[in-house]
Amino acid sequence: MTSDQRAATAPGRAGRLLPAAVVTAATLVFGSVSLIYPYGRDHGIYAWLAWAVRSGRVMYRDLFMGMAPLTVLVHALAQFFGRSMVVLRVVDLAWTLVTALLFFALVRRVSGRAWPSAAAGALYAFCYYQFGFWDTAQVDGFLNLPVVAALLVALPAFDSAARRRWFAAGCLLGVAFLFKYPAGVFLPGLAAFAFYRWSKARGVFGPGWLVAGFFLPVAVFLLVLTASGALGAYFEPVFRRALSYPALAHLGEGPFGRFLRMFAEYLRRPASAVPLVLGGTGLAAGLVRFARRKAGKVGRGSSSFSRLLVLSSAWLFLALVQVYAQGRFFPYHFLTLLPPLAVAAVAGLAPPQGPGCRTAVRAVSYLLLAVLAVGVVSVTPYRRSFADLARVAAGPATLADYWHLPRQGTQDFRLSEQLQVADYLRARTTPEARVLVWGADPLINYLARRRGVTRFGYHHPLVSAWGWNELRREFIAALAADPPAVIVVAGHDATPLVTGHELDSREALVAFTPLRALVVRDYELEARIARFAVLRRADSDRTPPALPPDRLETNLAEARAAIGGMNPASDRAVLWPGSWPG
């Protein structure tokens, strides 16, 4: 190698490290604001499930779960390092850092340019941590990692068909599927590209290896379920719940109305503005650049960004299909849109290069990008987030103070209330006491370190329109055989998008005749903490008899009718008059 050749390759070596270091630094800076974030309701459910798994209980068989398994295992990994809510945030930051670095490597492989690729990785982290405590460390953010990794592994196979790469990419997509089932839409998308490559050079049947790789982790998961006796318990809620749950909020809406509402839900949230504006602008500018390149008006250097444009468009389409399939349109469901929008932003907004681009043009492009970056940062929630982090880190406020702020919650969830109830239970029950939390708040069990009674950590499968009576019979039988020392009943926590009706937990208890009879007969009101009522069993030595199945409601329509016809002076008074706010 001549001295000129060594001089030409030296910047390339440095360029492999410095851009990655910038992505790392940006992710750690943006992600630092999340280290003080508390749990939301979903985190509490997953934390309780992970705690139960680490205690020896088997998923699906001993714990009712309607979701895919891997997020529970991520929470179990976090709990290996401690039970504090901060630990999950550290794991999420590490997870996001790996995702951002893999994303940087993916964009660099497609574009061949280091610094725009580093900008894509940093932009992903920047957009991700605009989302608050409720929407980060969620399933949809976790599954971005295996999807990005699958694309990174598969891309070289388009140029040199390699069965190992197709197989590895399929395995990674199988892992994404085990985080959330709608992520399976990426399999046919990537298989279509694989088939295109195979049709051009028939050395290896890429789609076949891709599909085989996808089913490997799925098959291993099913074998583990079979060995643990949990296969039947796994499939029952999958077929009963998964097909009805996404449609609850869309009855009478129609597919097109559902499509429009998906965009309406996305556009109404401030955290969605930055990726949408940057990604949309990038797509438009990328299309213009692509058209000019086809007309011969720009240099060859823009061809790499044409490939980025194709990648971002196909990726964005598949991510939208995934969001649409879920049917809920909660903010964190849109996290899978962040990588393709970041690619689109880079494809269109990165300064051009090549013999047709002058130095002055590139300089103006960088200046405009700097102005855009300052403008974008000024309208994001980072200023308040960094101020909160500074107050906690410097000492004027503690983590407990921050977690008790009223904004740490939603209309039906307040973390401060969960913490108060957990403190009360730790102080007034023994560690061996079993506590039933009637609501969607097993976070109380987790924080108080008090085990539940049944395999239902939250009551959604028992009170929702998508539930079924066998589960309710199982719940009542377990409760009668081993009655809890304390029952905590939530109020003012109706979640129609999840349950399919307007009943809160208190009203659902009144409508659930066997549970109401058991509670009224054997439990007395001990305390009221915010929207929670704490009930203690009057005679801990007496076990109530099992209640016959014919006393169960046959469907939730009867439950809603029962609530509508209740007499506040009689029926509601049965459940301890004056014990409920509002």
Side-chain angles (χ1 to χ4, degrees):
M1 180 181 291
T2 65
S3 59
D4 291 339
Q5 289 173 325
R6 285 193 297 270
T9 57
R13 293 195 189 101
R16 285 193 295 269
L17 297 177
L18 188 56
V22 169
V23 174
T24 301
T27 303
L28 294 178
V29 169
F30 295 136
S32 63
V33 300
S34 71
L35 295 178
I36 61 174
Y37 284 172
Y39 282 178
R41 170 167 284 150
D42 292 347
H43 304 112
I45 292 174
Y46 281 113
W48 177 82
L49 290 169
W51 176 46
V53 169
R54 295 185 71 242
S55 301
R57 303 177 76 178
V58 177
M59 287 191 291
Y60 304 104
R61 188 193 71 188
D62 303 330
L63 303 166
F64 181 89
M65 289 175 53
M67 66 284 284
L70 288 190
T71 301
V72 175
L73 299 185
V74 172
H75 277 259
L77 171 66
Q79 291 175 21
F80 180 80
F81 299 101
R83 294 176 53 89
S84 170
M85 290 187 279
V86 176
V87 176
L88 176 65
R89 300 301 175 174
V90 174
V91 170
D92 178 60
L93 179 55
W95 195 280
T96 306
L97 175 59
V98 174
T99 305
L101 289 172
L102 290 176
F103 185 53
F104 156 71
L106 170 65
V107 179
R108 184 170 183 173
R109 181 177 288 276
V110 176
S111 68
R113 295 178 62 184
W115 287 108
S117 304
L123 182 59
Y124 171 77
F126 174 81
C127 292
Y128 177 77
Y129 282 110
Q130 282 192 97
F131 289 79
F133 79 98
W134 194 279
D135 301 306
T136 50
Q138 284 277 12
V139 184
D140 301 79
F142 291 143
L143 68 84
N144 277 336
L145 192 157
V147 170
V148 171
L151 294 175
L152 179 62
V153 168
L155 276 177
F158 291 110
D159 300 321
S160 57
R163 59 174 62 93
R164 286 179 298 179
R165 284 190 173 274
W166 287 122
F167 187 78
C171 288
L172 289 165
L173 289 182
V175 170
F177 176 78
L178 292 177
F179 271 106
K180 179 167 277 191
Y181 304 129
V185 302
F186 287 98
L187 177 64
L190 192 55
F193 282 104
F195 184 81
Y196 173 78
R197 168 59 195 162
W198 175 74
S199 66
K200 295 293 184 181
R202 294 175 178 262
V204 174
F205 186 57
W209 286 103
L210 184 73
V211 172
F214 176 87
F215 283 106
L216 176 62
V218 176
V220 170
F221 169 63
L222 294 178
L223 287 174
V224 171
L225 289 179
T226 303
S228 59
L231 190 64
Y234 166 75
F235 276 113
E236 184 180 30
V238 167
F239 290 115
R240 286 181 177 263
R241 175 182 182 271
L243 298 179
S244 61
Y245 175 75
L248 288 178
H250 311 290
L251 298 177
E253 187 175 50
F256 185 68
R258 179 175 175 176
F259 181 78
L260 293 178
R261 194 166 66 82
M262 177 177 69
F263 283 96
E265 289 295 323
Y266 180 80
L267 293 174
R268 75 182 184 87
R269 295 182 174 95
S272 306
V274 171
L276 179 64
V277 170
L278 295 181
T281 305
L283 278 175
L287 289 172
V288 172
R289 185 180 295 183
F290 179 77
R292 288 173 59 82
R293 186 179 70 84
K294 286 295 185 181
K297 296 181 179 181
V298 296
R300 292 174 297 174
S302 62
S303 61
S304 63
F305 288 92
S306 300
R307 294 194 295 270
L308 283 181
L309 189 64
V310 173
L311 173 65
S312 63
S313 300
W315 195 345
L316 183 60
F317 172 77
L318 293 174
L320 285 171
V321 172
Q322 177 189 341
V323 175
Y324 180 87
Q326 295 183 65
R328 273 295 167 271
F329 313 141
F330 296 143
Y332 54 81
H333 289 166
F334 296 98
L335 291 176
T336 52
L337 302 181
L338 296 184
L341 288 174
V343 174
V346 169
L349 301 178
Q353 66 175 7
C357 181
R358 298 179 180 179
T359 303
V361 174
R362 289 197 295 270
V364 171
S365 299
Y366 283 119
L367 178 61
L368 291 176
L369 284 177
V371 172
L372 178 62
V374 172
V376 163
V377 172
S378 65
V379 299
T380 62
Y382 276 108
R383 287 186 299 173
R384 188 176 75 171
S385 299
F386 280 119
D388 290 337
L389 178 64
R391 281 194 292 270
V392 173
T398 65
L399 266 179
D401 295 332
Y402 178 71
W403 289 343
H404 279 82
L405 290 176
R407 56 185 160 97
Q408 310 297 12
T410 63
Q411 182 178 0
D412 53 274
F413 175 92
R414 288 287 182 272
L415 178 66
S416 60
E417 298 174 2
Q418 317 275 325
L419 295 169
Q420 292 175 51
V421 176
D423 289 341
Y424 181 92
L425 292 175
R426 279 197 302 269
R428 291 168 174 82
T429 61
T430 63
E432 297 78 20
R434 291 179 179 266
V435 175
L436 169 66
V437 177
W438 179 253
D441 305 297
L443 178 58
I444 293 174
N445 294 92
Y446 179 73
L447 294 173
R449 302 195 182 193
R450 298 297 184 264
R451 295 187 63 184
V453 181
T454 72
R455 68 185 184 108
F456 302 96
Y458 49 101
H459 69 4
H460 286 161
L462 304 170
V463 303
S464 297
W466 49 264
W468 56 99
N469 277 334
E470 290 82 358
L471 295 181
R472 300 181 185 112
R473 294 189 184 100
E474 175 191 342
F475 172 77
I476 289 297
L479 208 62
D482 185 14
V486 172
I487 297 179
V488 177
V489 182
H492 303 287
D493 62 341
T495 51
L497 285 177
V498 176
T499 61
H501 56 73
E502 300 287 344
L503 305 182
D504 68 2
S505 295
R506 170 171 51 109
E507 293 168 332
L509 188 154
V510 174
F512 193 176
T513 306
L515 179 60
R516 179 180 62 187
L518 186 149
V519 167
V520 170
R521 184 180 66 236
D522 298 315
Y523 288 82
E524 297 175 351
L525 176 67
E526 180 175 277
R528 189 187 72 191
I529 303 173
R531 62 185 179 89
F532 292 94
V534 180
L535 318 174
R536 190 176 293 271
R537 188 154 54 97
D539 183 0
S540 59
D541 296 328
R542 182 164 57 89
T543 301
L547 296 167
D550 56 7
R551 294 181 61 187
L552 290 166
E553 282 78 14
T554 57
N555 54 57
L556 262 294
E558 293 183 14
R560 289 193 292 272
I563 291 298
M566 281 170 48
N567 184 337
S570 58
D571 296 84
R572 291 204 185 201
V574 170
L575 291 180
W576 317 282
S579 63
W580 304 99

